[in-house]
Amino acid sequence: MQKTAEIVSLREITQRVKNIRHSFAHVLAAAVKKFYPKAELGIGPVIENGFYYDFGKLKITDEDLPRIEEEMRKIAAGKHVFKKELWTSQKAAAHFKKLKQPFKLELIRDLLKTKNQKLKTGKVGMVYTGDVFLDLCRGGHVKNTSELPLDAFRLTRIAGAYWRGDEKRPMLTRIYGVAFGARKELDEHLQLQAEAKKRDHKKLGQELDLFTFSELVGSGLPLFTPKGTTVRNLLDDFVWSLRQKHGYQRVDIPHIAKKELYETSGHWDKFKNELFHITTREGHEFALKPMNCPHHIQIFSRKKWSFRELPQRYASTTKIYRDEQTGELSGLSRVRSITQDDAHVFCNMAKTESEVKSIWDMLDEFYNTFTLPLKVRLSLRDPKKPKNYLGDEKTWRDAEEILKKVAQERKVNYVEQKGEATFYGPKLDFMATDSLGREWQVATIQVDLNMPKRFKLTFTSEQGDQRDIYMIHSAIMGSIERFMSILLEHYAGAFPLWLAPEQIWILPISDKFSAYANDVRQKLLKLNEDLRVRVNDENETLGKRIRQGETMKIPYLLIVGEREIRNNGVSVRERGKGDIGAMKLEQFIEKIRIFAQYS
Ligand SMILES: [Zn+2]
Ligand SMILES: [Zn+2]
């Protein structure tokens, strides 16, 4: 098996670029305060590709950004020194109180409450940008605003953001900017953004007629058209073909369950606010399932198991439901009904490692097919926050060791990330890099010793005693919706032949040749009854139908008229290549016969 998982640490940016980005955030706040002295200051952190700053009491639109950007350039040109002082929290609080800055006051109060010994000094950092601006800040700046590359930054957009991400707190105005170490990187970034915009899956999904949304059904609930459903099914069939090879069995489960199931699993407590609740007419409480694991567990626990019968491997492609906030929803990437290609392995400890490896093999084969190289992250628990997780320390250490061992044996570079584990176990997260170089989190493998304990899952060992069951959660695509959005943008809508919802269009030059076109279609179907081939003899000019086919990214357009009938052939237009000439039908058939599945 070929190995795709060439692993590099998460995109590394240098400290210098981080400092540049963060310094721009200060300069941005200074510029905003100049025009809008009453604006309240939130926070201004570094993010991927740039920075943002949040402001209260600020009503502006995108049209105001050029003016603010201009002011930022002026300020930066003033060669102001960034200087940090430590103030007592009382002094800092008095300062921000006088300036009517409630968010800064709250941040100071929280700093005093922190358990982090390093921060708990009673002193807070105050950072001057020369004499133009003073902000509460830990640090991370350039020395002087003259170091800021003024041709390598840009304010990009504004957005609403709740203070501290809490929907019950005030909505602030967030100004986003991008910033890089040099002009060239900014240009590359903007170019990539433009290309990404062209490939936006929401736009492509509509153009290619793959999915739609309905006001009546509700936001975040995508509806898949016949073509979109074809793509979904092909992807799912592919995953199933791999699962089958690795000994999985399909199971089927309902979409709701009693509250008690999720109380036992821990989901009720953890995801209270994201669950869709249902009360029956008899007053019983149910929830739409937010995960499939507890259902699969109930299938497993239908009987007693001996070591001989393990592992049991259950797979379902099924929907789960999360009550996401409306503002967070986006196309297929963030939805309320999510189709998971979910699977759970129930095994003993000794088998855990080989099961994880076998899932990894499937991932390699799957992502290879799409030329989506994988990076790996080992997500561990945050030992400082035991309350966020189920189970005891030893159990966690055991589970984490297993994943570490597999990752090391696979000889991949992986990054460890503390605090990214699920509440029931550590996991391997797989990130795919698409054709634009963007990274998307896709698959996961999770080792879980906690949920089996909560449901008291055991098996009879060779020695005849009851032992703990280890559970492995895995999804190959993650979610079909999200994976489809990634593929659409990765291929710019031009799916490979095996995955194209319509593979071949036959275009008769005029009505007269429709019969021959249908004849060709029949011959192709005889070759392979699964071929998705359509005769397009709509009442349009040939030129227009060819353009339609190109817009719909159909892999092959076959044009037939007098000459083609005479030669018992077709004239072929191949996607991306244009006219590749006339050929006998047998020749074309030979050409696409190479079309094995999944290549
Ligand atoms: Zn700062
Ligand atoms: Zn699961």
Side-chain angles (χ1 to χ4, degrees):
M1 166 151 311
Q2 223 183 325
K3 198 173 269 172
T4 43
E6 196 213 319
I7 318 298
V8 193
S9 66
L10 291 175
R11 182 176 305 169
E12 273 180 30
I13 55 163
T14 62
Q15 189 58 43
R16 179 181 157 255
V17 174
K18 272 190 203 164
N19 290 348
I20 286 173
R21 288 178 180 159
H22 180 59
S23 302
F24 270 123
H26 280 254
V27 176
L28 165 61
V32 168
K33 286 297 277 182
K34 181 166 177 214
F35 292 136
Y36 311 93
K38 291 210 172 100
E40 295 169 344
L41 300 167
I43 52 166
V46 172
I47 51 170
E48 197 184 0
N49 301 319
F51 59 92
Y52 69 73
Y53 210 110
D54 284 343
F55 302 94
K57 299 220 167 103
L58 179 66
K59 293 266 172 297
I60 55 167
T61 65
D62 284 334
E63 266 109 71
D64 296 303
L65 293 183
R67 191 165 72 109
I68 298 171
E69 197 180 294
E70 193 49 45
E71 185 59 29
M72 286 173 69
R73 287 177 208 284
K74 259 192 230 159
I75 293 173
K79 297 186 176 161
H80 299 292
V81 175
F82 281 99
K83 192 173 129 248
K84 185 177 170 183
E85 282 181 2
L86 287 177
W87 287 17
T88 64
S89 55
Q90 290 88 341
K91 185 178 168 192
H95 169 80
F96 286 115
K97 201 167 173 189
K98 203 171 110 205
L99 295 176
K100 299 205 176 80
Q101 291 295 336
F103 303 116
K104 293 292 174 190
L105 285 170
E106 185 177 326
L107 291 171
I108 293 171
R109 272 200 305 277
D110 285 4
L111 276 174
L112 293 176
K113 274 189 274 176
T114 179
K115 286 197 181 108
N116 186 336
Q117 287 306 322
K118 244 165 79 195
L119 295 173
K120 205 178 178 176
T121 54
K123 295 258 172 90
V124 297
M126 294 290 285
V127 172
Y128 287 94
T129 310
D131 54 2
V132 289
F133 190 58
L134 174 60
D135 203 355
L136 176 74
C137 182
R138 256 188 308 195
H141 312 94
V142 294
K143 285 201 185 73
N144 191 300
T145 56
S146 62
E147 291 169 44
L148 293 173
L150 295 185
D151 57 352
F153 95 100
R154 187 155 314 164
L155 293 184
T156 47
R157 64 194 175 97
I158 59 173
Y162 292 112
W163 171 238
R164 306 200 129 170
D166 182 347
E167 73 218 288
K168 292 183 194 88
R169 307 298 308 272
M171 172 78 89
L172 307 182
T173 300
R174 177 170 295 176
I175 303 180
Y176 283 100
V178 290
F180 296 88
R183 165 79 186 266
K184 191 170 156 278
E185 291 162 57
L186 174 70
D187 289 346
E188 278 167 11
H189 171 77
L190 294 175
Q191 212 180 346
L192 196 74
Q193 290 294 106
E195 180 59 33
K197 206 167 165 188
K198 264 194 267 168
R199 292 172 178 231
D200 182 354
H201 79 272
K202 300 188 276 295
K203 185 170 149 266
L204 282 172
Q206 207 159 41
E207 285 169 11
L208 303 178
D209 191 26
L210 297 173
F211 58 86
T212 183
F213 288 91
S214 144
E215 278 289 328
L216 278 175
V217 173
S219 46
L221 299 167
L223 304 164
F224 289 88
T225 62
K227 281 184 205 161
T229 307
T230 301
V231 175
R232 284 172 63 96
N233 289 343
L234 287 162
L235 290 171
D236 189 42
D237 290 348
F238 183 16
V239 169
W240 175 238
S241 74
L242 298 171
R243 294 264 191 218
Q244 213 171 8
K245 265 196 282 184
H246 290 259
Y248 283 73
Q249 294 174 293
R250 270 177 170 158
V251 293
D252 193 65
I253 58 181
H255 288 220
I256 62 173
K258 275 163 64 183
K259 180 184 177 188
E260 287 77 8
L261 180 74
Y262 299 116
E263 280 175 338
T264 312
S265 69
H267 289 102
W268 193 269
D269 207 34
K270 196 79 195 165
F271 295 114
K272 250 189 315 249
N273 298 327
E274 287 160 57
L275 290 178
F276 281 108
H277 298 258
I278 304 163
T279 310
T280 68
R281 57 179 157 182
E282 289 161 354
H284 299 301
E285 268 193 274
F286 283 73
L288 273 172
K289 68 179 154 83
M291 280 205 158
N292 307 307
C293 344
H295 279 93
H296 282 188
I297 288 175
Q298 291 311 292
I299 298 176
F300 178 78
S301 61
R302 73 191 182 279
K303 58 168 279 201
K304 289 209 171 300
W305 297 96
S306 122
F307 67 94
R308 279 193 203 88
E309 299 164 293
L310 298 181
Q312 289 286 310
R313 307 179 188 90
Y314 299 156
S316 309
T317 295
T318 176
K319 285 204 167 67
I320 58 167
Y321 304 88
R322 306 254 170 100
D323 188 6
E324 304 276 2
Q325 290 176 24
T326 310
E328 308 264 294
L329 300 170
S330 168
L332 290 186
S333 9
R334 195 78 179 262
V335 291
R336 285 179 167 140
S337 60
I338 306 152
T339 316
Q340 282 188 330
D341 57 319
D342 208 1
H344 295 96
V345 177
F346 300 88
C347 60
N348 59 13
M349 193 173 86
K351 281 277 163 60
T352 314
E353 214 182 294
S354 60
E355 290 298 317
V356 170
K357 283 181 189 158
S358 120
I359 299 166
W360 200 324
D361 285 343
M362 288 189 255
L363 288 177
D364 275 345
E365 194 173 340
F366 186 78
Y367 285 93
N368 250 336
T369 305
F370 301 99
T371 336
L372 285 166
L374 293 175
K375 294 182 181 181
V376 180
R377 181 176 68 198
L378 177 57
S379 296
L380 307 170
R381 75 172 194 149
D382 181 351
K384 286 191 202 115
K385 294 182 182 155
K387 272 199 195 129
N388 290 356
Y389 308 95
L390 299 178
D392 58 79
E393 224 182 298
K394 159 117 183 31
T395 310
W396 272 86
R397 263 207 314 274
D398 289 351
E400 291 180 352
E401 274 317 305
I402 293 169
L403 291 181
K404 239 181 240 182
K405 187 156 171 249
V406 177
Q408 275 159 7
E409 274 181 22
R410 235 155 156 117
K411 298 203 177 13
V412 293
N413 295 319
Y414 61 91
V415 260
E416 286 188 14
Q417 196 107 329
K418 285 205 171 82
E420 290 289 316
T422 68
F423 71 100
Y424 49 78
K427 56 179 177 156
L428 288 164
D429 288 317
F430 294 81
M431 267 77 60
T433 306
D434 74 7
S435 55
L436 294 188
R438 298 173 300 176
E439 279 176 24
W440 306 98
Q441 186 168 331
V442 282
T444 63
I445 309 177
Q446 310 169 356
V447 171
D448 176 6
L449 315 182
N450 286 308
M451 229 185 279
K453 268 195 187 143
R454 289 175 77 102
F455 284 97
K456 302 193 172 61
L457 304 185
T458 59
F459 69 97
T460 312
S461 76
E462 232 162 316
Q463 283 73 36
D465 58 342
Q466 291 301 302
R467 301 262 176 96
D468 287 342
I469 284 285
Y470 278 49
M471 194 172 161
I472 303 161
H473 310 246
S474 70
I476 305 292
M477 287 184 271
S479 116
I480 296 191
E481 288 77 15
R482 226 175 100 77
F483 188 65
M484 259 179 83
S485 76
I486 295 167
L487 278 190
L488 264 168
E489 298 190 4
H490 174 59
Y491 289 126
F495 289 120
L497 185 61
W498 72 269
L499 192 57
E502 289 183 318
Q503 297 166 311
I504 301 166
W505 274 9
I506 307 169
L507 308 176
I509 290 173
S510 75
D511 276 0
K512 268 201 299 191
F513 310 107
S514 287
Y516 179 70
N518 279 301
D519 202 38
V520 169
R521 179 169 178 273
Q522 287 310 324
K523 283 186 177 143
L524 289 171
L525 288 177
K526 221 177 239 166
L527 163 80
N528 180 343
E529 59 180 9
D530 291 330
L531 272 181
R532 297 177 292 278
V533 47
R534 177 182 148 201
V535 173
N536 183 340
D537 52 4
E538 279 162 25
N539 195 13
E540 294 284 0
T541 63
L542 179 65
K544 188 143 187 214
R545 280 177 288 148
I546 289 175
R547 278 194 301 279
Q548 254 177 20
E550 283 168 351
T551 311
M552 298 303 280
K553 322 246 180 199
I554 309 297
Y556 289 102
L557 303 176
L558 308 183
I559 292 137
V560 295
E562 194 67 55
R563 192 179 52 152
E564 285 75 18
I565 294 181
R566 222 177 318 124
N567 296 331
N568 199 15
V570 289
S571 285
V572 183
R573 292 184 73 89
E574 192 175 329
R575 187 182 60 200
K577 288 190 184 154
D579 190 353
I580 57 166
M583 54 185 84
K584 296 255 179 225
L585 194 54
E586 294 78 58
Q587 274 175 294
F588 177 69
I589 286 170
E590 194 54 41
K591 186 175 167 56
I592 59 166
R593 225 173 22 162
I594 324 161
F595 142 39
Q597 236 190 338
Y598 312 133
S599 63

